[in-house]
Amino acid sequence: MLYCAPNKKYSDFIIVRDPDKCIDCRVCARQCSYEAHVYDESTGKVFSDDTRCVGCHRCEAFCPSGALLIRQNPSEFRDNAVWKPWFIKNIYKQAETGGVLLTGMGNSYPYPVYWDKMLLDASQVTNPSIDPLREPMELKTYLGSKPDALRIDAGSGEVRLAGGFTPQIAINYPILFSAMSYGSINLNVHKGLARAAEEMGILYNTGEGGLHASLYRYGRNTIVQCASGRFGVHSEYLNAGVAVEIKIGQGAKPGIGGHLPGEKIGPEISRTRMIPIGADALSPAPHHDIYSIEDLRQLIYAIKEATDYKKLVFVKIAAVHNSAAIASGMVRAGADVITLDGFRGGTGAAPTMIRDNVGIPIEMALASVDERLRQEGIRNQASLLVAGGIRCSADVVKAIALGADAVYIGTAALISVGCTVCQRCYTGKCPWGIATNDPFLAKRINPEIAHEKLANLIRAWGHEIQEMLGGMGINAIESLRGNREKLRGIGLNESEMNILGIKHAGA
Amino acid sequence: MFNLKRTNHKPWDYRKDISGCGLSGLINTNGKRVSGEVITRSIRTQHDRGNGLGGGFAAYGIYPDFKDHYAVHVMCDSKTALNNFESFLKEVTVIDQQERIPTRASTTIRNAPLLMRYFVKPDLEADNPLFDKGMSEDDFMVRMVMKINLDVPGAFVFSSGRNMGAFKGVGYPEDIADFFRLDEYEGYIWTAHNRFPTNTPGWWGGAHPFTILDWSIVHNGEISSYGINKRYLEMFGYHCTLLTDTEVVAYLLDLLIRRHGLPIEIACLALAPPFWNEVDRMEPERKKLCEAIRMVYASALLNGPFAVLFAFNGGLVGLNDRIKLRPLIAAESGETVYMASEESAIREICPDPDKVWMPKAGEPVVVKLNKTE
C-alpha cells in the first residue's frame, strides 16, 4: 500500500481479494475509476488500495473469477455512543482540507422512515377483493388543475361539456422519473429515461441542465425544468415538453443552490446549458427574480404566457417545516402541480451537513400539505406530486393514500440501471457510468438497456400496485388518493398520527 | 339511555359501518300514492338479508298538507337533548307544526329514542346566524342539519326534505314499519332497507335510509373509497357524522345534482364512471365528456361493491358499482317501476310485471315522475 497520511488509513471499506481465485486479469483495475485497484507492471500482479475504495461494488460485480469482496472496514474505534466513527473521520477530512463535506444522494441518517410505520388494508368478507388479472384495474390518472365543478350544457337535449379546461396530462402509471439534469447524469441515462417514459406513458423530468437536441422528440413525455440558474432555458425549450417545472428547492439540499464544476462542462453540455466550455455552472440559492410569493406568481404566468397556456406549470419545493402554508400560496399563485421533495430525495452533490440535517420527511410534508389544501377547499386546483425516498411500490401506494396524485422516483430509477448508492456522485467518476460525463465511463450505460430496465421497473411496480388496490377492493387509483382510511400506523405516537391523519393499527 | 352521538375527537377518527343488506323500492310515475303496507310486504320477503339490527323506509308525498314545509325528523337520546335541539331550531326556523312521530307499542322494537317531527320554514331574517346573504333555502337547510348533527349533543336530524320522510331504527324492517305505523301513510315513492351490519349494533342513526333535503339513499354494500369521498365532501362543507359510509352517497348527490347542477345521468357517470378502455372506444364528444367527468369528480367515484336506490321528490334511481358486485333487479308494471335486491321482493307485490331486467354494472336506472301538476 502506498504511503498516505495516517488518518486516511481509516478507510470505510476493505477490499478482500482471494489470492487463490485472482487471475491478475486487470478487469478490476479497468473498472475502478477511483484507482483502488492497481496493476504492478514489474510483478504482473494486481493489488488494491482500500483507502480509495468508495464501496460501489463495480469491481466485485465484474470480477470474472469471483475473487473480490468489498466489506465495511471492521476496524473499530473505541466504542462511544457520541463520537461515532462518522464524526471522527469527517473531522480528520476537514482538518486536512479546510473544506465543506460533500456527498451525493439523499439523507442517510437513521431518521424514522414513516412508510415503514404504516400498514395497508385489505378486503375480507364484507367487500370482495378484486383480481387485477380478471377485472379492469385502473392506474391512469390526470395531472393538472381541476375546476370545482363541471359545467354542462344540457339545453339542446344532448348533454355536452360547456367551456374548456386548463391543460391536463394523462399518465398511465402514478410514477414519474424525477428531475436529474443533463450534466449531473449523462446523455445515455437521459435517453434511457426518455424512452422508458415514452413506452410506459409516463413522464421524465429534464432537471435544470437544459434539454439535449436529440431528446426533443420525446416532448410528449417530458417535463422541462426551470431552476435558479436558468441553464438552457429558451422559448423552444419551454415549449418542448408537456409541462414546465419551476424548481424552487430540492429535498436533498433545501435552501441552497447547485454547483456543477467547470471540468464537467464539455462541448455538448456547454451547448445544452448555454454556458462556455469549462465554466462552472452555478445555480443560486434563490431565484433572483423570486423573493416572495407574488414574484412566483409572476414567473408562473410569464411561463404560461411564453407557452401560450398550453403547458402545465409545476412548482417544486423542498419539504420544510412550513410546507403546508407555502404550498397553499403556490396553488393560489397559479401552480397546476405542486411537487414536494422530501429530505431523502437524491442529489448529484450536496454539502453533507445540509443533506443530513435540513428538511423533513416527505410523508409528513405530504400529509400536512394535502390536509391544508383540503381545509382551504383548493385541493382540486393543483395536483400533488411527491418525491424523496420512494423505494418500492408499497411506498407509492402509501403516498397516494396519504394524498399524492403521483410520485417521482430518482434514486430508484438510477438503481434500476446499476447504481449502488455509494453516494459519490459529486466526484464525476461514477464507475457505473451514471453520474459521470467521462466518455469512457458514460458508455457503460447503454441507452437501450437502460430503457428496458427503467420500463421494467415501472411495469413491475404497476402490477404490484394493481394487486394492492385489488386487495383493498378498489379498481381505480383515484379511489385510493387521499383515502387515509386505508392506512394504519404501527408504533407511531399521537403527534405523528395526528399529522399523518391516520389511526393506529387495531383501531 | 344509550348515547346517540359518538364524540368525534379527530376528523379522521371515525368508525365506518360495514354492512350487507337488502333493498326494495317502488315509484308510481304518475304520482299516485300507495300505502306503506305494500313496500313492507316486499322488504319482509328479504328478511334473511338483514339481522335485525337496522331497518328503514323513505316515503315521498306523505305530507300533502305541509308540502311546502321542510319536514324535519329528529331523534334525541334525552329530554335535555330534545330541549337543546328545539331551542336551536326555534332560533333559525319558523316552526308551523310539531309533534311526536306516531308510533305503535311493540315488543320487538326496544330502546327507541325520542322521535319528533317539525314542519318548518327557514327564518331568513338578517340576524339568523346560519344564514349568509345569497344562500338558497336548501343551502340553509343543509348547513342547519350539518350544524345540528355535529354540534347539538344527543340530537340527530335523520330527515329534512319537503313532503317526504325517513323512518328508521334498530329492528327488522317489517317491525320498524309496524312501529312507525307506515300502513297509515301513502306515498308515490317508497324505498326500504333491511340491514346486516357487522358492527355498531343498537345505533338508530345508523339505519338506512340516509337523507339530506329530499335525497334519500338506501344502500347495500361497502364503499371502499369512503376515506376519500368523505374528505372530498368536507371541502364543500359536508360533515359525515353518522358513522356509516352510506351518508356520503346522499351528500355527493346533493353536491353534484343540486349544487353543481349536473343532470342525474351525469352525476351517475361521476359516481360509477365507465372504465378507461370503454371511454377510449367512445365517439369523440362523449369521450371528452366522460374524461372531463372523471378528471373533475375522481374523488366522488364510489368504489367497492354497492347497489343503491336513491329517491327524491322527482324520481327514483337505481345504481350499481362498476363491476356489479351487489345484486339489483328492476321491473315495470304499468305506471309503476320496482327495484330490489331480489326478484322475489318484486314478485311479492307485483306477481306479473310487464318487464323484468337486470341493470348492467354502472348503468343507472333513472325513473322520473311525470309532471303531475
Side-chain angles (χ1 to χ4, degrees), chain B residues 232-263:
Chain B
Y232 175 68
L233 285 164
E234 281 166 356
M235 272 179 48
F236 296 93
Y238 295 90
H239 300 283
C240 299
T241 51
L242 297 175
L243 322 183
T244 169
D245 51 0
T246 307
E247 69 180 322
V248 300
V249 187
Y251 302 157
L252 283 171
L253 290 167
D254 184 59
L255 177 69
L256 269 51
I257 298 175
R258 188 179 61 82
R259 283 174 59 184
H260 290 177
L262 300 182

Coordinates of all heavy atoms in Angstrom, one line a residue, chain B residues 232-263:
Chain B
Y232 N -63.4 14.6 0.4 CA -63.8 15.4 -0.7 C -65.0 16.2 -0.3 O -65.0 17.4 -0.5 CB -64.1 14.5 -1.9 CG -64.7 15.2 -3.1 CD1 -63.8 16.1 -3.8 CD2 -66.0 15.0 -3.5 CE1 -64.3 16.7 -4.9 CE2 -66.5 15.7 -4.6 CZ -65.7 16.5 -5.3 OH -66.2 17.2 -6.4
L233 N -66.0 15.6 0.4 CA -67.2 16.3 0.8 C -66.9 17.4 1.8 O -67.5 18.4 1.8 CB -68.2 15.3 1.3 CG -68.9 14.5 0.2 CD1 -69.6 13.3 0.9 CD2 -69.9 15.3 -0.5
E234 N -65.9 17.1 2.6 CA -65.6 18.1 3.7 C -65.1 19.4 3.0 O -65.3 20.5 3.6 CB -64.5 17.5 4.6 CG -65.1 16.6 5.6 CD -64.1 15.7 6.4 OE1 -62.9 15.8 6.1 OE2 -64.5 15.0 7.3
M235 N -64.5 19.3 1.9 CA -64.0 20.5 1.2 C -65.2 21.4 0.8 O -65.1 22.6 0.6 CB -63.3 20.2 -0.1 CG -61.8 19.9 0.1 SD -60.9 19.4 -1.4 CE -61.5 20.6 -2.6
F236 N -66.4 20.8 0.7 CA -67.6 21.5 0.3 C -68.5 21.8 1.5 O -69.7 22.1 1.3 CB -68.3 20.8 -0.8 CG -67.5 20.8 -2.1 CD1 -66.7 19.7 -2.4 CD2 -67.5 21.8 -3.0 CE1 -66.0 19.6 -3.5 CE2 -66.8 21.8 -4.2 CZ -66.0 20.6 -4.4
G237 N -68.1 21.6 2.7 CA -68.9 21.9 3.9 C -69.8 20.8 4.4 O -70.6 21.0 5.3
Y238 N -69.6 19.6 3.9 CA -70.4 18.5 4.4 C -69.7 17.7 5.5 O -68.5 17.6 5.4 CB -70.7 17.4 3.3 CG -71.6 18.0 2.2 CD1 -71.0 18.6 1.1 CD2 -73.0 17.9 2.2 CE1 -71.8 19.1 0.0 CE2 -73.8 18.4 1.2 CZ -73.2 19.0 0.1 OH -74.0 19.5 -0.9
H239 N -70.3 17.4 6.5 CA -69.7 16.6 7.6 C -70.3 15.3 7.8 O -71.5 15.2 7.9 CB -69.8 17.4 8.9 CG -69.1 18.7 8.8 ND1 -67.8 18.9 8.9 CD2 -69.7 20.0 8.6 CE1 -67.5 20.2 8.7 NE2 -68.6 20.9 8.6
C240 N -69.5 14.2 7.7 CA -70.1 12.9 7.9 C -70.1 12.5 9.3 O -69.1 12.4 10.0 CB -69.2 11.9 7.0 SG -69.2 12.3 5.3
T241 N -71.3 12.5 9.9 CA -71.4 12.3 11.3 C -72.1 11.0 11.7 O -72.2 10.7 12.9 CB -72.3 13.5 11.9 OG1 -73.5 13.5 11.1 CG2 -71.6 14.8 11.8
L242 N -72.6 10.3 10.8 CA -73.5 9.2 11.1 C -72.8 7.8 11.2 O -73.4 6.8 11.2 CB -74.7 9.1 10.1 CG -75.6 10.3 10.1 CD1 -76.6 10.3 9.0 CD2 -76.2 10.5 11.5
L243 N -71.5 7.8 11.2 CA -70.7 6.6 11.4 C -70.9 5.6 10.4 O -70.8 4.4 10.6 CB -71.0 6.0 12.8 CG -71.2 6.9 14.0 CD1 -71.3 6.1 15.2 CD2 -70.0 7.9 14.1
T244 N -71.3 5.9 9.2 CA -71.5 4.9 8.1 C -71.1 5.5 6.8 O -71.0 6.7 6.6 CB -73.0 4.6 8.1 OG1 -73.2 3.8 6.9 CG2 -73.9 5.8 8.0
D245 N -70.7 4.6 5.9 CA -70.3 5.0 4.6 C -71.4 5.5 3.7 O -71.2 6.3 2.8 CB -69.5 3.9 3.9 CG -70.2 2.6 3.9 OD1 -71.3 2.5 4.4 OD2 -69.7 1.6 3.3
T246 N -72.6 5.1 4.0 CA -73.7 5.4 3.1 C -74.1 6.9 3.0 O -74.5 7.4 1.9 CB -75.0 4.6 3.5 OG1 -74.7 3.3 3.6 CG2 -76.1 4.8 2.5
E247 N -73.8 7.6 4.1 CA -74.3 9.0 4.0 C -73.5 9.8 3.0 O -74.0 10.8 2.4 CB -74.2 9.7 5.4 CG -72.8 9.9 5.9 CD -72.8 10.6 7.2 OE1 -73.6 11.5 7.5 OE2 -71.9 10.3 8.1
V248 N -72.2 9.3 2.6 CA -71.5 10.1 1.6 C -72.3 10.1 0.3 O -72.2 11.0 -0.5 CB -70.1 9.6 1.4 CG1 -69.2 9.7 2.6 CG2 -70.0 8.2 0.8
V249 N -73.0 9.0 0.0 CA -73.8 9.0 -1.3 C -74.8 10.1 -1.3 O -75.0 10.8 -2.3 CB -74.5 7.6 -1.4 CG1 -75.1 7.5 -2.8 CG2 -73.5 6.5 -1.2
A250 N -75.5 10.2 -0.2 CA -76.5 11.3 -0.1 C -75.9 12.7 -0.3 O -76.4 13.5 -1.1 CB -77.2 11.2 1.3
Y251 N -74.8 12.9 0.3 CA -74.2 14.2 0.2 C -73.6 14.4 -1.2 O -73.6 15.5 -1.7 CB -73.1 14.4 1.3 CG -73.6 14.2 2.7 CD1 -72.7 13.9 3.8 CD2 -74.9 14.4 3.0 CE1 -73.2 13.7 5.1 CE2 -75.4 14.3 4.3 CZ -74.6 13.9 5.3 OH -75.0 13.8 6.6
L252 N -73.0 13.4 -1.8 CA -72.5 13.5 -3.1 C -73.6 13.9 -4.1 O -73.4 14.7 -5.0 CB -71.8 12.2 -3.5 CG -70.4 11.9 -2.9 CD1 -69.9 10.5 -3.3 CD2 -69.4 13.0 -3.4
L253 N -74.7 13.2 -4.0 CA -75.8 13.5 -4.9 C -76.3 15.0 -4.7 O -76.5 15.7 -5.6 CB -77.0 12.6 -4.6 CG -76.7 11.1 -5.1 CD1 -77.8 10.2 -4.5 CD2 -76.7 11.1 -6.6
D254 N -76.3 15.4 -3.4 CA -76.7 16.8 -3.2 C -75.7 17.8 -3.8 O -76.1 18.7 -4.5 CB -76.8 17.0 -1.7 CG -77.3 18.4 -1.3 OD1 -78.5 18.7 -1.8 OD2 -76.6 19.2 -0.7
L255 N -74.5 17.4 -3.7 CA -73.4 18.3 -4.2 C -73.5 18.3 -5.7 O -73.5 19.4 -6.4 CB -72.0 17.8 -3.8 CG -70.8 18.6 -4.3 CD1 -70.8 20.0 -3.7 CD2 -69.5 17.8 -4.1
L256 N -73.5 17.2 -6.3 CA -73.4 17.1 -7.8 C -74.7 17.6 -8.5 O -74.6 18.3 -9.4 CB -73.1 15.6 -8.2 CG -71.6 15.3 -8.4 CD1 -70.8 15.6 -7.2 CD2 -71.5 13.8 -8.7
I257 N -75.8 17.1 -8.0 CA -77.1 17.4 -8.7 C -77.6 18.8 -8.3 O -77.9 19.6 -9.1 CB -78.1 16.3 -8.5 CG1 -77.6 15.0 -9.0 CG2 -79.4 16.7 -9.1 CD1 -78.4 13.8 -8.7
R258 N -77.7 19.0 -7.0 CA -78.4 20.3 -6.6 C -77.4 21.5 -6.7 O -77.7 22.5 -7.3 CB -78.9 20.2 -5.2 CG -79.7 21.4 -4.8 CD -80.3 21.3 -3.3 NE -79.2 21.2 -2.3 CZ -78.6 22.2 -1.8 NH1 -78.8 23.4 -2.2 NH2 -77.6 22.0 -0.9
R259 N -76.2 21.3 -6.1 CA -75.3 22.5 -6.1 C -74.5 22.7 -7.4 O -74.3 23.8 -7.8 CB -74.3 22.3 -4.9 CG -75.1 22.7 -3.6 CD -74.2 22.5 -2.4 NE -73.0 23.2 -2.3 CZ -72.1 23.1 -1.4 NH1 -72.3 22.3 -0.4 NH2 -71.0 23.8 -1.4
H260 N -74.1 21.6 -8.0 CA -73.3 21.8 -9.2 C -74.2 21.7 -10.5 O -73.8 22.0 -11.6 CB -72.2 20.7 -9.4 CG -71.1 20.9 -8.4 ND1 -70.0 20.1 -8.3 CD2 -70.9 21.9 -7.5 CE1 -69.2 20.5 -7.3 NE2 -69.7 21.6 -6.8
G261 N -75.5 21.4 -10.3 CA -76.5 21.5 -11.3 C -76.3 20.4 -12.4 O -76.6 20.6 -13.6
L262 N -75.7 19.3 -12.1 CA -75.5 18.2 -13.1 C -76.8 17.4 -13.3 O -77.5 17.1 -12.3 CB -74.4 17.3 -12.6 CG -73.0 17.9 -12.4 CD1 -72.0 16.8 -12.0 CD2 -72.5 18.6 -13.7
P263 N -77.1 17.1 -14.5 CA -78.2 16.1 -14.8 C -77.9 14.8 -14.0 O -76.7 14.4 -13.8 CB -78.2 15.9 -16.3 CG -77.3 17.0 -16.8 CD -76.4 17.4 -15.8

